[in-house]
Amino acid sequence: MPELVVTALLAPSRLTLKLLRAFMWSLVFSAALVAAAVYGCIALTHVMCRPRRGFLGRPRHTPPVCLSDPTLGEHCFLILRSSGLRLHYVSAGRGKGPLMLFLHGFPENWFSWRYQLREFQSRFHVVAVDLRGYGPSDAPKDVDCYTIDLLMADIQDVILGLGYSKCILVAHDWGALLAWNFSIYYPSLVERMVVVSAAPMSVYQDYSLHHIGQFFRSNYVFLFQLPWLPEKLLSMSDFQILKTTLTHRKRGIPQLTPSELEAFLYDFSQPGGLTGPLNYYRNIFRTFPLEPQELATPTLLLWGEKDPYFEQGLVEAISSRFVPGRLEAHILPGMGHWIPQTNPVEMHQYMWAFLQDLLD
């Protein structure tokens, strides 16, 4: 068929897709402006209630002692083959079993896996990375350096760079979004997967279009589409919005000690410390619309009944995409979003049972 004819036949579809994208971006930025107004009021309220803290975050010059706790493992760096970036990771239990690789979410870092590092280093080589843009890991400034494809390449380079051909991937929040995609495009590198509190992007997209309540739970995502302003709002009154997110009595991790809280704030208080992590969100809508994808990697999914950010209905939506018999899903009563830190004992019980046959 002549190229001119093919182009003419495809023109209506291409125009429709362009119009759909334009409409989607107009909605995204409208929601971003509304979210900016709301979070701006919240940030200003914090400043007025705590005027001595000022408008900016207090710089931290010395990391808290808990970040160097020797029981968690050895601090190392790895040069990634694909990008040449240097990634920081903490490693323990080398030579004791399969690789168990941990991917953190936002606003966290490798330290969010402290309980799991201690628990599983006796039978696995446990490795918790600081994803690109976080902590001591390299943090490119360009938004285009944080696309899903590049972040997946980082995971591949970590697994192969550590000398393994596959791993058990354990992931939470943003790390889980990456893990879902990674298991689809690099299935040979993932033997098992443990996912906490996150859905695949295509599932989240389809579910949100039919459940408007999910959009309201994820309102912060729209704020983060804007340049520079989210960094300013999150740092006001010495990062009070982040402090509240992490320590709220019902929605956060109320048992965090002051030192543990500083383990997260220390990285974000460094120059440009928030920009890399927020650039993850600034790439979310670039691949819209997403096609449905079949999920086949044997997966343990843990979901908090009272997760304030994701509705329970997402669990059923995830299950509908799985090859039968490959998903073990549990909705945990009374638990919220931060299960690896708030309920590590329960999480470990499910993980040991799920992984037992690999250890026999």
Side-chain angles (χ1 to χ4, degrees), residues 80 82-88 104 129-140 142-147 149-155 157 178 275-277 279-280:
L80 303 181
S82 301
S83 63
L85 296 178
R86 190 179 76 148
L87 242 60
H88 169 255
H104 64 81
V129 300
D130 273 323
L131 296 168
R132 71 161 69 187
Y134 284 83
S137 292
D138 284 347
D142 197 328
V143 175
D144 292 334
C145 292
Y146 295 86
T147 64
D149 289 344
L150 291 176
L151 296 170
M152 286 195 298
D154 288 355
I155 300 171
D157 289 345
L178 300 179
T275 299
N279 281 342
Y280 283 60

PDB file of all heavy atoms in Angstrom, residues 80 82-88 104 129-140 142-147 149-155 157 178 275-277 279-280:
ATOM      1  N   LEU A  80      26.640   2.414  37.204  1.00  0.00           N
ATOM      2  CA  LEU A  80      25.692   1.762  36.314  1.00  0.00           C
ATOM      3  C   LEU A  80      26.219   1.713  34.883  1.00  0.00           C
ATOM      4  O   LEU A  80      26.693   2.728  34.352  1.00  0.00           O
ATOM      5  CB  LEU A  80      24.348   2.496  36.345  1.00  0.00           C
ATOM      6  CG  LEU A  80      23.699   2.630  37.729  1.00  0.00           C
ATOM      7  CD1 LEU A  80      22.367   3.363  37.621  1.00  0.00           C
ATOM      8  CD2 LEU A  80      23.506   1.260  38.369  1.00  0.00           C
ATOM      9  N   SER A  82      24.648   1.324  31.952  1.00  0.00           N
ATOM     10  CA  SER A  82      23.886   2.009  30.900  1.00  0.00           C
ATOM     11  C   SER A  82      24.076   3.519  30.921  1.00  0.00           C
ATOM     12  O   SER A  82      24.174   4.152  29.870  1.00  0.00           O
ATOM     13  CB  SER A  82      22.392   1.687  31.028  1.00  0.00           C
ATOM     14  OG  SER A  82      22.162   0.303  30.926  1.00  0.00           O
ATOM     15  N   SER A  83      24.093   4.098  32.126  1.00  0.00           N
ATOM     16  CA  SER A  83      24.090   5.554  32.239  1.00  0.00           C
ATOM     17  C   SER A  83      25.399   6.144  32.756  1.00  0.00           C
ATOM     18  O   SER A  83      25.650   7.338  32.591  1.00  0.00           O
ATOM     19  CB  SER A  83      22.956   5.988  33.177  1.00  0.00           C
ATOM     20  OG  SER A  83      23.184   5.465  34.488  1.00  0.00           O
ATOM     21  N   GLY A  84      26.214   5.318  33.419  1.00  0.00           N
ATOM     22  CA  GLY A  84      27.423   5.833  34.043  1.00  0.00           C
ATOM     23  C   GLY A  84      27.164   6.517  35.373  1.00  0.00           C
ATOM     24  O   GLY A  84      28.100   7.009  36.014  1.00  0.00           O
ATOM     25  N   LEU A  85      25.904   6.536  35.824  1.00  0.00           N
ATOM     26  CA  LEU A  85      25.586   7.140  37.117  1.00  0.00           C
ATOM     27  C   LEU A  85      26.106   6.266  38.253  1.00  0.00           C
ATOM     28  O   LEU A  85      26.241   5.051  38.112  1.00  0.00           O
ATOM     29  CB  LEU A  85      24.078   7.325  37.267  1.00  0.00           C
ATOM     30  CG  LEU A  85      23.387   8.293  36.302  1.00  0.00           C
ATOM     31  CD1 LEU A  85      21.884   8.326  36.566  1.00  0.00           C
ATOM     32  CD2 LEU A  85      23.975   9.698  36.423  1.00  0.00           C
ATOM     33  N   ARG A  86      26.362   6.907  39.388  1.00  0.00           N
ATOM     34  CA  ARG A  86      26.812   6.199  40.574  1.00  0.00           C
ATOM     35  C   ARG A  86      25.649   6.085  41.548  1.00  0.00           C
ATOM     36  O   ARG A  86      25.076   7.089  41.966  1.00  0.00           O
ATOM     37  CB  ARG A  86      27.978   6.945  41.228  1.00  0.00           C
ATOM     38  CG  ARG A  86      28.677   6.149  42.332  1.00  0.00           C
ATOM     39  CD  ARG A  86      29.834   6.924  42.907  1.00  0.00           C
ATOM     40  NE  ARG A  86      29.368   7.987  43.795  1.00  0.00           N
ATOM     41  CZ  ARG A  86      30.046   8.419  44.868  1.00  0.00           C
ATOM     42  NH1 ARG A  86      31.220   7.877  45.174  1.00  0.00           N
ATOM     43  NH2 ARG A  86      29.567   9.388  45.612  1.00  0.00           N
ATOM     44  N   LEU A  87      25.290   4.843  41.902  1.00  0.00           N
ATOM     45  CA  LEU A  87      24.188   4.593  42.820  1.00  0.00           C
ATOM     46  C   LEU A  87      24.709   4.094  44.155  1.00  0.00           C
ATOM     47  O   LEU A  87      25.585   3.224  44.205  1.00  0.00           O
ATOM     48  CB  LEU A  87      23.224   3.556  42.222  1.00  0.00           C
ATOM     49  CG  LEU A  87      21.784   4.035  41.969  1.00  0.00           C
ATOM     50  CD1 LEU A  87      21.801   5.201  40.996  1.00  0.00           C
ATOM     51  CD2 LEU A  87      20.929   2.918  41.406  1.00  0.00           C
ATOM     52  N   HIS A  88      24.151   4.634  45.231  1.00  0.00           N
ATOM     53  CA  HIS A  88      24.488   4.203  46.586  1.00  0.00           C
ATOM     54  C   HIS A  88      23.577   3.060  47.003  1.00  0.00           C
ATOM     55  O   HIS A  88      22.388   3.052  46.671  1.00  0.00           O
ATOM     56  CB  HIS A  88      24.313   5.377  47.556  1.00  0.00           C
ATOM     57  CG  HIS A  88      24.373   4.990  48.997  1.00  0.00           C
ATOM     58  ND1 HIS A  88      23.247   4.908  49.796  1.00  0.00           N
ATOM     59  CD2 HIS A  88      25.417   4.647  49.805  1.00  0.00           C
ATOM     60  CE1 HIS A  88      23.593   4.556  51.014  1.00  0.00           C
ATOM     61  NE2 HIS A  88      24.898   4.384  51.049  1.00  0.00           N
ATOM     62  N   HIS A 104      12.753   1.613  47.277  1.00  0.00           N
ATOM     63  CA  HIS A 104      11.978   2.464  48.184  1.00  0.00           C
ATOM     64  C   HIS A 104      11.018   3.390  47.426  1.00  0.00           C
ATOM     65  O   HIS A 104      11.066   3.506  46.197  1.00  0.00           O
ATOM     66  CB  HIS A 104      12.920   3.305  49.045  1.00  0.00           C
ATOM     67  CG  HIS A 104      13.747   4.278  48.233  1.00  0.00           C
ATOM     68  ND1 HIS A 104      13.261   5.490  47.788  1.00  0.00           N
ATOM     69  CD2 HIS A 104      15.038   4.204  47.789  1.00  0.00           C
ATOM     70  CE1 HIS A 104      14.201   6.117  47.110  1.00  0.00           C
ATOM     71  NE2 HIS A 104      15.287   5.362  47.095  1.00  0.00           N
ATOM     72  N   VAL A 129      18.771  -0.011  47.752  1.00  0.00           N
ATOM     73  CA  VAL A 129      19.403   1.056  46.971  1.00  0.00           C
ATOM     74  C   VAL A 129      18.775   2.406  47.290  1.00  0.00           C
ATOM     75  O   VAL A 129      17.624   2.495  47.720  1.00  0.00           O
ATOM     76  CB  VAL A 129      19.292   0.793  45.455  1.00  0.00           C
ATOM     77  CG1 VAL A 129      19.978  -0.504  45.080  1.00  0.00           C
ATOM     78  CG2 VAL A 129      17.833   0.801  45.006  1.00  0.00           C
ATOM     79  N   ASP A 130      19.557   3.452  47.086  1.00  0.00           N
ATOM     80  CA  ASP A 130      19.016   4.794  46.931  1.00  0.00           C
ATOM     81  C   ASP A 130      18.820   4.993  45.433  1.00  0.00           C
ATOM     82  O   ASP A 130      19.803   5.052  44.670  1.00  0.00           O
ATOM     83  CB  ASP A 130      19.993   5.849  47.469  1.00  0.00           C
ATOM     84  CG  ASP A 130      19.818   6.117  48.951  1.00  0.00           C
ATOM     85  OD1 ASP A 130      18.666   6.101  49.423  1.00  0.00           O
ATOM     86  OD2 ASP A 130      20.830   6.356  49.632  1.00  0.00           O
ATOM     87  N   LEU A 131      17.587   5.062  44.978  1.00  0.00           N
ATOM     88  CA  LEU A 131      17.317   5.240  43.564  1.00  0.00           C
ATOM     89  C   LEU A 131      17.926   6.549  43.054  1.00  0.00           C
ATOM     90  O   LEU A 131      18.219   7.452  43.849  1.00  0.00           O
ATOM     91  CB  LEU A 131      15.810   5.233  43.319  1.00  0.00           C
ATOM     92  CG  LEU A 131      15.096   3.915  43.636  1.00  0.00           C
ATOM     93  CD1 LEU A 131      13.583   4.102  43.638  1.00  0.00           C
ATOM     94  CD2 LEU A 131      15.499   2.830  42.638  1.00  0.00           C
ATOM     95  N   ARG A 132      18.130   6.648  41.753  1.00  0.00           N
ATOM     96  CA  ARG A 132      18.738   7.864  41.209  1.00  0.00           C
ATOM     97  C   ARG A 132      17.949   9.097  41.664  1.00  0.00           C
ATOM     98  O   ARG A 132      16.717   9.093  41.716  1.00  0.00           O
ATOM     99  CB  ARG A 132      18.854   7.824  39.700  1.00  0.00           C
ATOM    100  CG  ARG A 132      17.557   7.947  38.930  1.00  0.00           C
ATOM    101  CD  ARG A 132      17.812   8.351  37.485  1.00  0.00           C
ATOM    102  NE  ARG A 132      18.457   7.315  36.688  1.00  0.00           N
ATOM    103  CZ  ARG A 132      18.900   7.499  35.438  1.00  0.00           C
ATOM    104  NH1 ARG A 132      18.727   8.682  34.836  1.00  0.00           N
ATOM    105  NH2 ARG A 132      19.455   6.518  34.774  1.00  0.00           N
ATOM    106  N   GLY A 133      18.663  10.133  42.046  1.00  0.00           N
ATOM    107  CA  GLY A 133      18.021  11.342  42.539  1.00  0.00           C
ATOM    108  C   GLY A 133      17.903  11.395  44.050  1.00  0.00           C
ATOM    109  O   GLY A 133      17.575  12.444  44.604  1.00  0.00           O
ATOM    110  N   TYR A 134      18.152  10.287  44.717  1.00  0.00           N
ATOM    111  CA  TYR A 134      17.991  10.205  46.168  1.00  0.00           C
ATOM    112  C   TYR A 134      19.339  10.083  46.875  1.00  0.00           C
ATOM    113  O   TYR A 134      20.217   9.329  46.430  1.00  0.00           O
ATOM    114  CB  TYR A 134      17.153   8.990  46.553  1.00  0.00           C
ATOM    115  CG  TYR A 134      15.667   9.130  46.316  1.00  0.00           C
ATOM    116  CD1 TYR A 134      15.117   8.891  45.065  1.00  0.00           C
ATOM    117  CD2 TYR A 134      14.808   9.489  47.354  1.00  0.00           C
ATOM    118  CE1 TYR A 134      13.748   8.999  44.840  1.00  0.00           C
ATOM    119  CE2 TYR A 134      13.443   9.604  47.145  1.00  0.00           C
ATOM    120  CZ  TYR A 134      12.912   9.353  45.880  1.00  0.00           C
ATOM    121  OH  TYR A 134      11.562   9.471  45.668  1.00  0.00           O
ATOM    122  N   GLY A 135      19.457  10.781  47.999  1.00  0.00           N
ATOM    123  CA  GLY A 135      20.603  10.599  48.885  1.00  0.00           C
ATOM    124  C   GLY A 135      21.938  10.761  48.182  1.00  0.00           C
ATOM    125  O   GLY A 135      22.112  11.637  47.331  1.00  0.00           O
ATOM    126  N   PRO A 136      22.903   9.889  48.498  1.00  0.00           N
ATOM    127  CA  PRO A 136      24.230   9.989  47.887  1.00  0.00           C
ATOM    128  C   PRO A 136      24.270   9.533  46.420  1.00  0.00           C
ATOM    129  O   PRO A 136      25.288   9.714  45.758  1.00  0.00           O
ATOM    130  CB  PRO A 136      25.087   9.056  48.757  1.00  0.00           C
ATOM    131  CG  PRO A 136      24.290   8.798  49.991  1.00  0.00           C
ATOM    132  CD  PRO A 136      22.866   8.887  49.579  1.00  0.00           C
ATOM    133  N   SER A 137      23.202   8.902  45.927  1.00  0.00           N
ATOM    134  CA  SER A 137      23.183   8.503  44.525  1.00  0.00           C
ATOM    135  C   SER A 137      23.198   9.733  43.629  1.00  0.00           C
ATOM    136  O   SER A 137      22.723  10.807  44.015  1.00  0.00           O
ATOM    137  CB  SER A 137      21.933   7.661  44.225  1.00  0.00           C
ATOM    138  OG  SER A 137      21.989   6.419  44.882  1.00  0.00           O
ATOM    139  N   ASP A 138      23.730   9.568  42.417  1.00  0.00           N
ATOM    140  CA  ASP A 138      23.769  10.690  41.485  1.00  0.00           C
ATOM    141  C   ASP A 138      22.355  11.173  41.168  1.00  0.00           C
ATOM    142  O   ASP A 138      21.410  10.367  41.097  1.00  0.00           O
ATOM    143  CB  ASP A 138      24.467  10.272  40.195  1.00  0.00           C
ATOM    144  CG  ASP A 138      25.984  10.203  40.362  1.00  0.00           C
ATOM    145  OD1 ASP A 138      26.490  10.702  41.388  1.00  0.00           O
ATOM    146  OD2 ASP A 138      26.658   9.652  39.465  1.00  0.00           O
ATOM    147  N   ALA A 139      22.225  12.478  40.960  1.00  0.00           N
ATOM    148  CA  ALA A 139      20.914  13.090  40.743  1.00  0.00           C
ATOM    149  C   ALA A 139      20.971  14.025  39.541  1.00  0.00           C
ATOM    150  O   ALA A 139      21.203  15.233  39.693  1.00  0.00           O
ATOM    151  CB  ALA A 139      20.470  13.852  41.990  1.00  0.00           C
ATOM    152  N   PRO A 140      20.770  13.502  38.332  1.00  0.00           N
ATOM    153  CA  PRO A 140      20.716  14.392  37.162  1.00  0.00           C
ATOM    154  C   PRO A 140      19.623  15.436  37.338  1.00  0.00           C
ATOM    155  O   PRO A 140      18.592  15.178  37.952  1.00  0.00           O
ATOM    156  CB  PRO A 140      20.381  13.429  36.011  1.00  0.00           C
ATOM    157  CG  PRO A 140      20.709  12.065  36.520  1.00  0.00           C
ATOM    158  CD  PRO A 140      20.522  12.102  37.997  1.00  0.00           C
ATOM    159  N   ASP A 142      17.956  17.137  34.795  1.00  0.00           N
ATOM    160  CA  ASP A 142      16.951  17.174  33.734  1.00  0.00           C
ATOM    161  C   ASP A 142      15.787  16.246  34.052  1.00  0.00           C
ATOM    162  O   ASP A 142      15.997  15.084  34.442  1.00  0.00           O
ATOM    163  CB  ASP A 142      17.605  16.754  32.407  1.00  0.00           C
ATOM    164  CG  ASP A 142      16.767  17.145  31.208  1.00  0.00           C
ATOM    165  OD1 ASP A 142      15.519  17.162  31.325  1.00  0.00           O
ATOM    166  OD2 ASP A 142      17.353  17.420  30.144  1.00  0.00           O
ATOM    167  N   VAL A 143      14.571  16.723  33.846  1.00  0.00           N
ATOM    168  CA  VAL A 143      13.379  15.892  34.062  1.00  0.00           C
ATOM    169  C   VAL A 143      13.422  14.644  33.195  1.00  0.00           C
ATOM    170  O   VAL A 143      12.985  13.560  33.618  1.00  0.00           O
ATOM    171  CB  VAL A 143      12.097  16.709  33.758  1.00  0.00           C
ATOM    172  CG1 VAL A 143      10.860  15.825  33.856  1.00  0.00           C
ATOM    173  CG2 VAL A 143      11.976  17.879  34.716  1.00  0.00           C
ATOM    174  N   ASP A 144      13.954  14.762  31.990  1.00  0.00           N
ATOM    175  CA  ASP A 144      13.993  13.625  31.065  1.00  0.00           C
ATOM    176  C   ASP A 144      14.908  12.505  31.535  1.00  0.00           C
ATOM    177  O   ASP A 144      14.906  11.417  30.954  1.00  0.00           O
ATOM    178  CB  ASP A 144      14.449  14.091  29.669  1.00  0.00           C
ATOM    179  CG  ASP A 144      13.416  14.991  29.006  1.00  0.00           C
ATOM    180  OD1 ASP A 144      12.223  14.869  29.352  1.00  0.00           O
ATOM    181  OD2 ASP A 144      13.801  15.816  28.157  1.00  0.00           O
ATOM    182  N   CYS A 145      15.684  12.746  32.571  1.00  0.00           N
ATOM    183  CA  CYS A 145      16.562  11.705  33.116  1.00  0.00           C
ATOM    184  C   CYS A 145      15.839  10.785  34.089  1.00  0.00           C
ATOM    185  O   CYS A 145      16.465   9.895  34.681  1.00  0.00           O
ATOM    186  CB  CYS A 145      17.765  12.335  33.819  1.00  0.00           C
ATOM    187  SG  CYS A 145      18.911  13.182  32.704  1.00  0.00           S
ATOM    188  N   TYR A 146      14.522  10.980  34.258  1.00  0.00           N
ATOM    189  CA  TYR A 146      13.767  10.192  35.230  1.00  0.00           C
ATOM    190  C   TYR A 146      12.572   9.492  34.578  1.00  0.00           C
ATOM    191  O   TYR A 146      11.553   9.280  35.222  1.00  0.00           O
ATOM    192  CB  TYR A 146      13.301  11.093  36.381  1.00  0.00           C
ATOM    193  CG  TYR A 146      14.453  11.653  37.179  1.00  0.00           C
ATOM    194  CD1 TYR A 146      15.091  12.825  36.783  1.00  0.00           C
ATOM    195  CD2 TYR A 146      14.932  10.994  38.306  1.00  0.00           C
ATOM    196  CE1 TYR A 146      16.164  13.332  37.498  1.00  0.00           C
ATOM    197  CE2 TYR A 146      16.009  11.490  39.023  1.00  0.00           C
ATOM    198  CZ  TYR A 146      16.615  12.667  38.608  1.00  0.00           C
ATOM    199  OH  TYR A 146      17.691  13.155  39.323  1.00  0.00           O
ATOM    200  N   THR A 147      12.720   9.120  33.316  1.00  0.00           N
ATOM    201  CA  THR A 147      11.666   8.367  32.653  1.00  0.00           C
ATOM    202  C   THR A 147      11.648   6.930  33.167  1.00  0.00           C
ATOM    203  O   THR A 147      12.649   6.426  33.688  1.00  0.00           O
ATOM    204  CB  THR A 147      11.864   8.355  31.132  1.00  0.00           C
ATOM    205  OG1 THR A 147      13.098   7.661  30.835  1.00  0.00           O
ATOM    206  CG2 THR A 147      11.924   9.768  30.567  1.00  0.00           C
ATOM    207  N   ASP A 149      11.674   4.186  31.524  1.00  0.00           N
ATOM    208  CA  ASP A 149      12.642   3.339  30.820  1.00  0.00           C
ATOM    209  C   ASP A 149      14.033   3.457  31.435  1.00  0.00           C
ATOM    210  O   ASP A 149      14.733   2.448  31.627  1.00  0.00           O
ATOM    211  CB  ASP A 149      12.697   3.718  29.339  1.00  0.00           C
ATOM    212  CG  ASP A 149      11.440   3.304  28.590  1.00  0.00           C
ATOM    213  OD1 ASP A 149      10.681   2.469  29.120  1.00  0.00           O
ATOM    214  OD2 ASP A 149      11.224   3.818  27.473  1.00  0.00           O
ATOM    215  N   LEU A 150      14.459   4.669  31.746  1.00  0.00           N
ATOM    216  CA  LEU A 150      15.783   4.865  32.337  1.00  0.00           C
ATOM    217  C   LEU A 150      15.852   4.291  33.744  1.00  0.00           C
ATOM    218  O   LEU A 150      16.865   3.705  34.138  1.00  0.00           O
ATOM    219  CB  LEU A 150      16.128   6.356  32.359  1.00  0.00           C
ATOM    220  CG  LEU A 150      16.372   7.003  30.994  1.00  0.00           C
ATOM    221  CD1 LEU A 150      16.608   8.500  31.161  1.00  0.00           C
ATOM    222  CD2 LEU A 150      17.546   6.360  30.274  1.00  0.00           C
ATOM    223  N   LEU A 151      14.773   4.442  34.503  1.00  0.00           N
ATOM    224  CA  LEU A 151      14.758   3.914  35.868  1.00  0.00           C
ATOM    225  C   LEU A 151      14.776   2.386  35.868  1.00  0.00           C
ATOM    226  O   LEU A 151      15.400   1.760  36.727  1.00  0.00           O
ATOM    227  CB  LEU A 151      13.540   4.441  36.611  1.00  0.00           C
ATOM    228  CG  LEU A 151      13.522   5.969  36.815  1.00  0.00           C
ATOM    229  CD1 LEU A 151      12.166   6.429  37.337  1.00  0.00           C
ATOM    230  CD2 LEU A 151      14.630   6.404  37.761  1.00  0.00           C
ATOM    231  N   MET A 152      14.095   1.776  34.890  1.00  0.00           N
ATOM    232  CA  MET A 152      14.140   0.311  34.769  1.00  0.00           C
ATOM    233  C   MET A 152      15.541  -0.151  34.378  1.00  0.00           C
ATOM    234  O   MET A 152      16.010  -1.196  34.853  1.00  0.00           O
ATOM    235  CB  MET A 152      13.110  -0.170  33.762  1.00  0.00           C
ATOM    236  CG  MET A 152      11.681  -0.104  34.260  1.00  0.00           C
ATOM    237  SD  MET A 152      10.553  -1.070  33.229  1.00  0.00           S
ATOM    238  CE  MET A 152      10.713  -0.220  31.658  1.00  0.00           C
ATOM    239  N   ALA A 153      16.200   0.604  33.513  1.00  0.00           N
ATOM    240  CA  ALA A 153      17.573   0.251  33.138  1.00  0.00           C
ATOM    241  C   ALA A 153      18.493   0.291  34.358  1.00  0.00           C
ATOM    242  O   ALA A 153      19.415  -0.521  34.479  1.00  0.00           O
ATOM    243  CB  ALA A 153      18.080   1.200  32.048  1.00  0.00           C
ATOM    244  N   ASP A 154      18.238   1.225  35.275  1.00  0.00           N
ATOM    245  CA  ASP A 154      19.022   1.284  36.514  1.00  0.00           C
ATOM    246  C   ASP A 154      18.886  -0.020  37.298  1.00  0.00           C
ATOM    247  O   ASP A 154      19.872  -0.563  37.815  1.00  0.00           O
ATOM    248  CB  ASP A 154      18.540   2.437  37.400  1.00  0.00           C
ATOM    249  CG  ASP A 154      18.938   3.803  36.859  1.00  0.00           C
ATOM    250  OD1 ASP A 154      19.666   3.863  35.855  1.00  0.00           O
ATOM    251  OD2 ASP A 154      18.502   4.808  37.457  1.00  0.00           O
ATOM    252  N   ILE A 155      17.653  -0.513  37.416  1.00  0.00           N
ATOM    253  CA  ILE A 155      17.420  -1.752  38.172  1.00  0.00           C
ATOM    254  C   ILE A 155      18.143  -2.915  37.516  1.00  0.00           C
ATOM    255  O   ILE A 155      18.786  -3.734  38.191  1.00  0.00           O
ATOM    256  CB  ILE A 155      15.907  -2.036  38.278  1.00  0.00           C
ATOM    257  CG1 ILE A 155      15.197  -0.890  38.987  1.00  0.00           C
ATOM    258  CG2 ILE A 155      15.660  -3.354  39.018  1.00  0.00           C
ATOM    259  CD1 ILE A 155      13.683  -0.982  38.943  1.00  0.00           C
ATOM    260  N   ASP A 157      20.812  -2.767  35.682  1.00  0.00           N
ATOM    261  CA  ASP A 157      22.251  -2.598  35.892  1.00  0.00           C
ATOM    262  C   ASP A 157      22.664  -2.957  37.314  1.00  0.00           C
ATOM    263  O   ASP A 157      23.769  -3.468  37.538  1.00  0.00           O
ATOM    264  CB  ASP A 157      22.651  -1.152  35.587  1.00  0.00           C
ATOM    265  CG  ASP A 157      22.604  -0.826  34.100  1.00  0.00           C
ATOM    266  OD1 ASP A 157      22.539  -1.772  33.292  1.00  0.00           O
ATOM    267  OD2 ASP A 157      22.615   0.366  33.756  1.00  0.00           O
ATOM    268  N   LEU A 178       7.920   0.990  39.746  1.00  0.00           N
ATOM    269  CA  LEU A 178       9.042   0.560  38.900  1.00  0.00           C
ATOM    270  C   LEU A 178       9.121  -0.963  38.840  1.00  0.00           C
ATOM    271  O   LEU A 178       9.385  -1.537  37.775  1.00  0.00           O
ATOM    272  CB  LEU A 178      10.348   1.125  39.443  1.00  0.00           C
ATOM    273  CG  LEU A 178      10.454   2.653  39.521  1.00  0.00           C
ATOM    274  CD1 LEU A 178      11.808   3.051  40.114  1.00  0.00           C
ATOM    275  CD2 LEU A 178      10.268   3.277  38.156  1.00  0.00           C
ATOM    276  N   THR A 275      14.418  17.810  44.110  1.00  0.00           N
ATOM    277  CA  THR A 275      14.113  17.897  42.681  1.00  0.00           C
ATOM    278  C   THR A 275      14.152  16.540  41.988  1.00  0.00           C
ATOM    279  O   THR A 275      13.253  16.207  41.216  1.00  0.00           O
ATOM    280  CB  THR A 275      15.080  18.873  41.988  1.00  0.00           C
ATOM    281  OG1 THR A 275      14.917  20.166  42.572  1.00  0.00           O
ATOM    282  CG2 THR A 275      14.789  18.955  40.501  1.00  0.00           C
ATOM    283  N   GLY A 276      15.177  15.739  42.251  1.00  0.00           N
ATOM    284  CA  GLY A 276      15.249  14.408  41.632  1.00  0.00           C
ATOM    285  C   GLY A 276      14.038  13.560  41.960  1.00  0.00           C
ATOM    286  O   GLY A 276      13.369  13.042  41.054  1.00  0.00           O
ATOM    287  N   PRO A 277      13.692  13.384  43.241  1.00  0.00           N
ATOM    288  CA  PRO A 277      12.510  12.598  43.591  1.00  0.00           C
ATOM    289  C   PRO A 277      11.216  13.129  42.964  1.00  0.00           C
ATOM    290  O   PRO A 277      10.370  12.345  42.520  1.00  0.00           O
ATOM    291  CB  PRO A 277      12.469  12.709  45.120  1.00  0.00           C
ATOM    292  CG  PRO A 277      13.900  12.868  45.509  1.00  0.00           C
ATOM    293  CD  PRO A 277      14.500  13.717  44.433  1.00  0.00           C
ATOM    294  N   ASN A 279      10.965  14.712  40.179  1.00  0.00           N
ATOM    295  CA  ASN A 279      11.013  14.495  38.730  1.00  0.00           C
ATOM    296  C   ASN A 279      10.423  13.136  38.325  1.00  0.00           C
ATOM    297  O   ASN A 279      10.006  12.957  37.184  1.00  0.00           O
ATOM    298  CB  ASN A 279      12.444  14.609  38.221  1.00  0.00           C
ATOM    299  CG  ASN A 279      12.873  16.058  38.071  1.00  0.00           C
ATOM    300  OD1 ASN A 279      12.045  16.972  38.024  1.00  0.00           O
ATOM    301  ND2 ASN A 279      14.180  16.285  37.997  1.00  0.00           N
ATOM    302  N   TYR A 280      10.385  12.176  39.254  1.00  0.00           N
ATOM    303  CA  TYR A 280       9.710  10.913  38.980  1.00  0.00           C
ATOM    304  C   TYR A 280       8.252  11.199  38.634  1.00  0.00           C
ATOM    305  O   TYR A 280       7.700  10.669  37.662  1.00  0.00           O
ATOM    306  CB  TYR A 280       9.750  10.006  40.205  1.00  0.00           C
ATOM    307  CG  TYR A 280      11.069   9.315  40.471  1.00  0.00           C
ATOM    308  CD1 TYR A 280      12.239  10.033  40.703  1.00  0.00           C
ATOM    309  CD2 TYR A 280      11.143   7.934  40.500  1.00  0.00           C
ATOM    310  CE1 TYR A 280      13.435   9.391  40.968  1.00  0.00           C
ATOM    311  CE2 TYR A 280      12.332   7.276  40.770  1.00  0.00           C
ATOM    312  CZ  TYR A 280      13.483   8.013  41.000  1.00  0.00           C
ATOM    313  OH  TYR A 280      14.667   7.370  41.248  1.00  0.00           O
TER     314      TYR A 280
END
